[in-house]
């Protein structure tokens, strides 16, 4: 009977892999500003060097790819923006910041449009500077527009709109070209994905061939299917088999088709069309990424199921997937089903429960926990081993006469 594992980035982090957002940004910042490319120097940029060495032996990096990576990061507007955002701590914060930037940027264009074109079209020779008060002296808004080269600033803090993003007709500027701005941002996020791919190819994938810690490959032997929100082949390479479905694509710089963006178009977006290329569902459809998730099990609703969430934040950014699992379990006709949330410590358990309550509501979570369908188990615990190895097959019923 199906045992299904669903993993997030915490699964990779559990094996000391440098896949967190802070690992990513610190290592890229290091190689951008240093010439050293040895193992210790690179991973000293994070706080994980010693713990990494407990699991893996050092290896050499692909220098040619590092040079390609350096060139990409030096020119990419999204990366150059994010490396200055020191308060971002996780990939969820990163995704939220993309949404924030897009909302701030596109909303700001209305302020500028009203000012620049208040008297109608402008001759190409007559585009003038404007003061920060046009943008309500909103420093964050001004800095975002400058970061993406939509406006520039002179020494007197006067602002000038980039004419590349204006619509021309004859010898006049007649409007702001939001389409061009959206296409520029989309092009830059595609390049950012290539940076992301290069990072993982250079600094993460070689770890699998250099592991020195013994891994009990039998611990997940009863898992029938593995769905991951990660882009890495950690489960298949460490535990064997070919069970992984990559919900957001997998690392491959040549294909560059990973999903990296926002969950939904913001409700207050003035023009939702310009946000669509940055949504995960658009990218999944556009890249033909596997988006069926657990629908393949719809015809097997009489079976017993155990769903294991390991290293997943259960955040609203993946609300659609979480709801799909819970709705599926609630509709099952069989009686021996489980949703097992694997947690690292008590603090993480509390946060996971809060996130589930936020998505599913009090009644559903209470009912599932009272009926022992939804349970929380600690990683590396006997309770987890028990759930992983439990026989959940449907037991046949025998009548007294048959005996």
């Amino acid at each position: 009977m199906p045992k299904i594992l669903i993993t997030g980035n915490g699964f990779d982090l559990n094996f000391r892999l440098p896949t967190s957002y802070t690992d990513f940004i610190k290592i890229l910042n290091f190689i951008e500003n240093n010439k050293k490319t040895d193992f210790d120097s690179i991973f000293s940029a994070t706080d994980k060097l010693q713990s990494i060495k407990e699991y893996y032996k050092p290896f050499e990096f692909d220098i040619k790819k590092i040079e390609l990576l350096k060139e990409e990061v030096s020119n990419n507007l999204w990366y150059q923006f994010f490396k200055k955002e020191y308060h971002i701590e996780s990939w969820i914060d990163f995704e939220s910041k993309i949404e924030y930037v897009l909302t701030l940027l596109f909303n700001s264009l209305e302020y500028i449009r009203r000012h620049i074109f208040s008297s109608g079209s402008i001759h190409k020779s007559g585009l003038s500077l404007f003061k920060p008060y046009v943008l309500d002296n909103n420093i964050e808004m001004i800095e975002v527009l400058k970061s993406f080269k939509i406006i520039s600033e002179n020494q007197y803090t006067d602002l000038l709109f980039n004419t590349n993003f204006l619509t021309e007709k004859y010898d006049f500027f007649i409007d702001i070209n939001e389409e061009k701005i959206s296409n520029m941002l989309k092009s830059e996020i595609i390049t950012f994905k290539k940076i992301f791919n290069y990072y993982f190819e250079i600094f993460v994938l070689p770890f699998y061939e250099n592991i020195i810690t013994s891994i009990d490959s039998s611990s997940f032997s009863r898992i029938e299917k593995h769905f991951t929100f990660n882009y890495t082949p950690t489960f298949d390479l460490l535990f064997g088999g070919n069970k992984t479905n990559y919900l957001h694509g997998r690392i491959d710089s040549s294909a560059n088709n990973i999903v990296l963006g926002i969950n939904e178009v913001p409700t207050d977006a003035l023009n939702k069309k310009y946000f669509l290329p940055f949504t995960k569902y658009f990218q999944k459809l556009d890249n033909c990424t596997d988006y069926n998730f657990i629908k393949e099990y719809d015809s097997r609703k009489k079976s017993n199921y155990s769903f294991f969430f390991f290293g997943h934040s259960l955040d609203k950014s993946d609300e659609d997937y979480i709801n799909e699992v819970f709705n599926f379990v609630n509709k099952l006709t069989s009686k021996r089903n489980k949703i097992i949330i694997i947690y690292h410590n008590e603090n993480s358990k509390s946060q996971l429960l809060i996130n589930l309550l936020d998505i599913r509501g009090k009644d559903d979570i209470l009912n599932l926990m009272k009926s022992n369908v939804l349970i929380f188990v600690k990683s590396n615990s006997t309770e987890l081993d028990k759930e992983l190895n439990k026989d959940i097959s449907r037991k046949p019923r025998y009548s007294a006469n048959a005996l």
Side-chain angles (χ1 to χ4, degrees):
M1 297 296 106
K3 289 191 175 186
I4 300 166
L5 176 66
I6 301 167
T7 60
N9 189 45
F11 186 76
D12 280 1
L13 295 176
N14 190 60
F15 296 101
R16 316 289 177 91
L17 293 169
T19 59
S20 71
Y21 174 81
T22 53
D23 295 331
F24 171 78
I25 212 73
K26 285 180 178 179
I27 288 176
L28 290 187
N29 188 54
F30 179 85
I31 66 159
E32 188 182 15
N33 296 289
N34 294 275
K35 294 184 178 180
K36 292 182 177 179
T37 56
D38 62 285
F39 187 93
D40 282 19
S41 295
I42 294 288
F43 291 113
S44 289
T46 72
D47 59 356
K48 295 180 176 178
L49 178 61
Q50 294 309 313
S51 64
I52 284 173
K53 281 187 165 183
E54 292 173 7
Y55 265 60
Y56 307 95
K57 62 183 180 182
F59 52 84
E60 295 183 353
F61 302 109
D62 186 327
I63 303 303
K64 288 183 179 180
K65 275 194 176 178
I66 287 181
E67 292 305 315
L68 288 172
L69 180 57
K70 282 184 176 183
E71 184 178 348
E72 297 288 5
V73 299
S74 66
N75 297 316
N76 185 254
L77 299 181
W78 280 105
Y79 170 75
Q80 292 299 323
F81 171 80
F82 278 115
K83 76 175 186 179
K84 300 172 186 175
E85 295 291 309
Y86 300 111
H87 60 283
I88 297 177
E89 296 182 355
S90 69
W91 290 112
I92 294 171
D93 296 334
F94 166 81
E95 292 171 353
S96 298
K97 198 67 175 180
I98 291 177
E99 180 178 325
Y100 175 76
V101 167
L102 294 172
T103 302
L104 193 71
L105 191 153
F106 283 111
N107 286 352
S108 73
L109 298 181
E110 287 304 307
Y111 291 85
I112 298 172
R113 177 181 277 116
R114 286 197 296 268
H115 174 78
I116 294 179
F117 298 104
S118 59
S119 301
S121 303
I122 302 170
H123 194 273
K124 289 172 67 174
S125 62
L127 191 66
S128 62
L129 298 165
F130 59 95
K131 293 292 185 180
Y133 71 79
V134 171
L135 294 166
D136 288 344
N137 292 307
N138 187 323
I139 299 303
E140 187 85 4
M141 188 179 287
I142 292 168
E143 289 303 314
V144 167
L145 287 164
K146 284 166 54 181
S147 294
F148 290 93
K149 303 187 184 305
I150 295 168
I151 63 172
S152 57
E153 184 179 50
N154 68 14
Q155 59 185 349
Y156 307 108
T157 69
D158 295 317
L159 306 175
L160 182 66
F161 200 87
N162 186 341
T163 58
N164 290 327
F165 299 120
L166 293 176
T167 299
E168 297 181 33
K169 192 169 185 180
Y170 306 114
D171 289 327
F172 291 85
F173 295 122
I174 61 171
D175 199 3
I176 292 173
N177 193 326
E178 290 171 305
E179 191 84 37
K180 275 191 176 181
I181 293 173
S182 179
N183 287 339
M184 176 274 293
L185 293 169
K186 180 183 176 183
S187 176
E188 292 293 320
I189 205 75
I190 289 171
T191 303
F192 184 87
K193 290 182 184 183
K194 179 155 282 192
I195 290 169
F196 189 90
N197 273 292
Y198 279 148
Y199 171 83
F200 276 79
E201 287 178 351
I202 299 166
F203 301 115
V204 177
L205 297 188
F207 278 107
Y208 302 115
E209 298 176 354
N210 291 280
I211 191 165
I212 56 177
T213 299
S214 177
I215 302 290
D216 181 9
S217 60
S218 67
S219 54
F220 290 102
S221 61
R222 294 199 175 197
I223 294 297
E224 177 181 287
K225 181 77 75 174
H226 170 227
F227 294 98
T228 184
F229 291 85
N230 300 337
Y231 312 93
T232 52
T234 305
F235 181 85
D236 285 348
L237 292 182
L238 295 186
F239 296 98
N242 185 27
K243 301 177 180 179
T244 299
N245 280 28
Y246 296 88
L247 296 171
H248 288 164
R250 63 183 300 175
I251 295 303
D252 182 347
S253 57
S254 60
N256 200 32
N257 63 354
I258 61 171
V259 174
L260 191 68
I262 62 178
N263 196 44
E264 287 288 351
V265 175
T267 55
D268 60 346
L270 297 178
N271 194 328
K272 292 179 169 45
K273 179 179 76 170
Y274 298 124
F275 288 79
L276 287 173
F278 304 93
T279 60
K280 293 177 182 177
Y281 55 84
F282 167 83
Q283 293 175 35
K284 285 156 70 79
L285 293 168
D286 193 40
N287 295 333
C288 298
T289 308
D290 179 10
Y291 49 87
N292 288 324
F293 196 33
I294 61 171
K295 291 190 182 298
E296 64 184 273
Y297 295 105
D298 281 348
S299 61
R300 299 167 60 185
K301 288 190 175 180
K302 292 182 179 180
S303 298
N304 296 316
Y305 287 84
S306 287
F307 287 93
F308 296 83
F309 283 90
F310 194 163
H312 194 287
S313 65
L314 304 179
D315 186 78
K316 284 186 79 71
S317 60
D318 290 315
E319 179 178 7
D320 290 346
Y321 293 100
I322 294 163
N323 281 330
E324 192 170 343
V325 171
F326 277 72
N327 291 340
F328 178 83
V329 170
N330 283 336
K331 292 178 181 178
L332 289 174
T333 58
S334 54
K335 302 299 181 184
R336 302 179 67 226
N337 303 295
K338 292 276 189 183
I339 300 174
I340 299 107
I341 311 298
I342 302 167
Y343 65 92
H344 179 64
N345 55 41
E346 292 303 318
N347 287 336
S348 66
K349 176 186 175 183
S350 296
Q351 187 59 55
L352 291 168
L353 179 56
I354 289 171
N355 290 350
L356 280 180
L357 287 167
D358 186 38
I359 292 171
R360 298 295 300 175
K362 177 187 70 173
D363 292 342
D364 188 47
I365 298 303
L366 274 175
N367 289 335
L368 289 171
M369 292 189 73
K370 284 180 178 179
S371 59
N372 205 36
V373 172
L374 173 63
I375 64 172
F376 291 76
V377 299
K378 196 170 185 178
S379 59
N380 301 320
S381 67
T382 55
E383 289 81 8
L384 176 58
D385 291 338
K386 179 182 175 182
E387 292 297 335
L388 285 168
N389 292 300
K390 183 188 294 183
D391 181 7
I392 61 169
S393 60
R394 290 173 60 85
K395 302 295 184 183
R397 294 181 179 179
Y398 298 99
S399 68
N401 293 333
L403 296 174

